[in-house]
């Protein structure tokens, strides 16, 4: 009996951490939906001029919008990095068997939307710079929609979606680093490398004082901002160096004394309920003044929307089907094919990260608006379709017909 108790306690702790993460993301997604709608209403109301003017106002060296997108979102990426590291070392992605299904599904869910976008925009080389826009999944939005179904959706499906979206976020971070980097300042880049080396050394030496990592992380953010690489990547790099303390004699983490767990716990609610909604409000506001049907059916707009809806559906569901049919993986426990189809549709909600990549890809406000139209249309269609399919599948699954 004594030998099984620590394992049971650890399992309970991990389940509690996962449940808290899913609850925060789901609730944050519902808040984000409301904020995005409010931003659109504001951008098309008498308050529109003040809204856009405030975002362009400079505070020190950066405009308000840049402070939000470059500084506040660095904390979002810090949390993303912490979640990726924790899941890889001590969570749902801690073994190759657990990584296989969500990992391959995430890869398919990034590749197919990009190909669809490229197919729509082959005749416009300038528009091809936005190829990665529909490749991203918004974990908060997707889990927010999933949470509306409550217990009708098995917990394993929520874990699958969370794991897929986390791997998707990792892919998006790599894409941003490789393809959306401006001209480099090699002096600042060298300084960034030096700070990173110190962070890695501190980790190797077993330094557990979190404030040291955060202080160096602030310096890293400034240097990365000046280097030409997008400043938010400093958050991911910092996250990967924050130590995770293991329980003596086991490969399991000790959340109560682990700096990584402590920082992740501290950031979860502020990021879900403050930072991401602020980003959404600052960037979802798109004016429909002067918008014609021709704008909505332009290749760029359609490429984004079709990439999110059709691309994610084919990419995610198709790869899951191939793996399961080949006997390389199993469906999430207690989940049906219809429910997996619904989750694949929810992956087409690309709001936060898609908006972020769109802002990096294009400087022209008119093109950014077209990107936003495509993201909003695709995300709404994917969200509604996913909810409807999941509702129908849950009823059929409960009746034993699927």
């Amino acid at each position: 009996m004594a030998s099984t108790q620590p394992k049971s306690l650890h399992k309970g702790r991990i389940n509690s951490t996962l449940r808290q993460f899913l609850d925060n993301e789901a609730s944050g997604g519902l808040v984000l939906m409301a904020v995005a709608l409010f931003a659109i209403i504001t951008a098309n109301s008498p308050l529109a001029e003040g809204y856009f003017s405030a975002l362009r106002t400079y505070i020190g060296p950066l405009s308000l919008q840049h402070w939000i997108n470059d500084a506040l979102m660095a904390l979002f990426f810090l949390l993303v990095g912490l979640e990726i590291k924790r899941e890889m070392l001590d969570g749902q992605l801690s073994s190759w068997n657990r990584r296989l299904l969500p990992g391959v599904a995430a890869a398919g869910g990034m590749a197919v939307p990009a190909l669809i976008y490229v197919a729509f925009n082959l005749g416009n080389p300038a528009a091809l710079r936005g190829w990665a826009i529909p490749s991203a999944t918004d974990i908060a939005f997707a889990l927010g929609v999933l949470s509306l179904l409550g217990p009708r959706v098995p917990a394993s499906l929520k874990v699958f979606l969370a794991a897929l979206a986390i791997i998707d976020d990792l892919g998006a971070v790599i894409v941003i680093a490789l393809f959306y980097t401006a001209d480099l300042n090699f002096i600042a880049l060298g300084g960034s490398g030096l700070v990173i080396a110190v962070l890695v050394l501190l980790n190797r030496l077993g330094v557990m004082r979190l404030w040291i990592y955060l202080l160096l992380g602030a310096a890293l953010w400034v240097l990365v901002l000046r280097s030409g690489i997008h400043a938010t990547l400093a958050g991911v790099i910092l996250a990967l160096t924050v130590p995770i303390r293991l329980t003596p004699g086991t490969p399991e983490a000790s959340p109560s004394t682990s700096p990584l767990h402590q920082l992740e716990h501290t950031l979860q609610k502020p990021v879900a309920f403050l930072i991401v909604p602020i980003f959404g409000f600052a960037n979802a506001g798109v004016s429909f003044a002067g918008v014609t049907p021709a704008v909505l059916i332009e290749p760029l707009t359609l490429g984004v929307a079709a990439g999110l809806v059709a691309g994610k559906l084919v990419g995610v569901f198709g790869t899951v089907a191939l793996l399961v049919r080949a006997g390389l993986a199993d469906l999430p426990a207690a989940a049906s094919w219809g429910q997996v189809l619904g989750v694949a549709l929810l992956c087409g909600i690309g709001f936060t990260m898609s908006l972020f990549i769109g802002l990096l890809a294009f400087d022209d406000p008119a093109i950014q608006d077209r990107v936003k139209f495509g993201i909003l249309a695709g995300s709404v269609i994917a969200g509604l379709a996913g909810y409807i399919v999941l509702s129908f599948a849950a009823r059929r699954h409960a009746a034993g017909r699927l």
Side-chain angles (χ1 to χ4, degrees):
M1 179 72 71
S3 62
T4 61
Q5 188 176 6
K7 184 176 180 180
S8 175
L9 288 174
H10 173 74
K11 182 178 179 181
R13 183 169 64 240
I14 292 299
N15 287 341
S16 176
T17 301
L18 180 62
R19 188 178 298 110
Q20 183 182 43
F21 165 76
L22 292 173
D23 288 345
N24 281 341
E25 290 290 348
S27 302
L30 298 177
V31 172
L32 185 55
M33 292 180 201
V35 168
L37 179 61
F38 184 52
I40 294 171
I41 293 172
T42 302
N44 292 277
S45 73
L47 299 174
E49 185 176 349
Y51 168 79
F52 290 111
S53 177
L55 291 174
R56 291 191 295 266
T57 301
Y58 270 75
I59 303 173
L62 300 174
S63 68
L64 176 59
Q65 187 160 30
H66 278 104
W67 277 115
I68 293 169
N69 294 349
D70 291 1
L72 278 185
M73 286 300 284
L75 295 175
F76 166 79
F77 277 86
L78 172 58
L79 180 60
V80 167
L82 293 171
E83 290 168 351
I84 291 170
K85 181 174 180 177
R86 173 179 54 77
E87 291 294 338
M88 289 289 188
L89 296 179
D90 188 48
Q92 293 299 317
L93 303 175
S94 58
S95 68
W96 285 109
N97 287 338
R98 291 180 174 183
R99 295 169 192 163
L100 181 62
L101 189 64
V104 177
M110 294 188 74
V112 178
L115 291 174
I116 289 177
Y117 177 91
V118 169
F120 271 92
N121 292 279
L122 275 176
N124 185 354
L128 291 178
R129 183 168 168 76
W131 64 269
I133 295 169
S135 294
T137 292
D138 191 304
I139 185 172
F141 249 125
L143 286 172
V145 174
L146 200 61
S147 72
L148 298 176
L149 294 159
R152 288 178 288 171
V153 176
S156 63
L157 209 57
K158 298 175 184 178
V159 172
F160 169 72
L161 177 58
L164 187 155
I166 287 171
I167 296 173
D168 187 286
D169 282 345
L170 176 59
V173 167
I174 294 171
V175 165
I176 291 170
L178 294 179
F179 299 100
Y180 295 102
T181 295
D183 295 334
L184 296 178
N185 178 332
F186 288 99
I187 295 176
L189 194 61
S192 302
L194 181 61
V195 174
I196 293 169
V198 173
L199 285 166
V200 172
L201 179 62
L202 290 172
N203 183 292
R204 294 290 186 182
L205 292 175
V207 175
M208 293 289 169
R209 291 182 176 86
L210 187 55
W211 68 268
I212 297 177
Y213 291 91
L214 295 178
L215 187 63
L216 287 169
L220 179 63
W221 178 83
V222 173
L223 289 167
V224 172
L225 177 67
R226 294 183 176 179
S227 73
I229 299 174
H230 202 272
T232 51
L233 295 180
V236 178
I237 296 169
L238 173 62
L240 298 180
T241 66
V242 173
I244 180 171
R245 173 171 282 171
L246 301 179
T247 302
T250 76
E252 299 168 348
S254 176
S256 61
T257 59
S258 170
L260 184 146
H261 284 79
Q262 291 170 0
L263 182 57
E264 183 184 9
H265 178 74
T266 300
L267 287 175
Q268 276 181 349
K269 288 186 178 178
V271 167
F273 297 108
L274 185 63
I275 291 173
V276 171
I278 288 174
F279 172 83
F281 181 72
N283 292 282
V286 55
S287 174
F288 295 107
V291 175
T292 64
V295 171
L296 300 177
I297 60 172
E298 286 183 6
L300 191 150
T301 309
L302 286 178
V304 172
L308 287 170
V309 179
K312 285 291 186 179
L313 174 61
V314 174
V316 173
F317 187 77
T319 51
V320 170
L322 287 174
L323 285 175
V324 173
R325 295 302 186 193
L328 298 174
D330 296 321
L331 283 179
S336 67
W337 280 108
Q339 289 171 326
V340 173
L341 180 68
V343 165
L345 283 165
L346 291 187
C347 289
I349 303 175
F351 191 78
T352 304
M353 197 69 82
S354 291
L355 281 175
F356 194 82
I357 294 174
L359 295 172
L360 296 179
F362 302 110
D363 295 324
D364 187 338
I367 297 179
Q368 288 179 353
D369 281 350
R370 284 157 174 75
V371 168
K372 291 177 182 179
F373 290 143
I375 293 171
L376 291 171
S379 296
V380 168
I381 293 170
L384 289 174
Y387 180 83
I388 291 170
V389 169
L390 281 165
S391 299
F392 180 71
R395 289 196 296 270
R396 294 200 63 185
H397 191 51
R401 294 194 299 269
L402 189 63

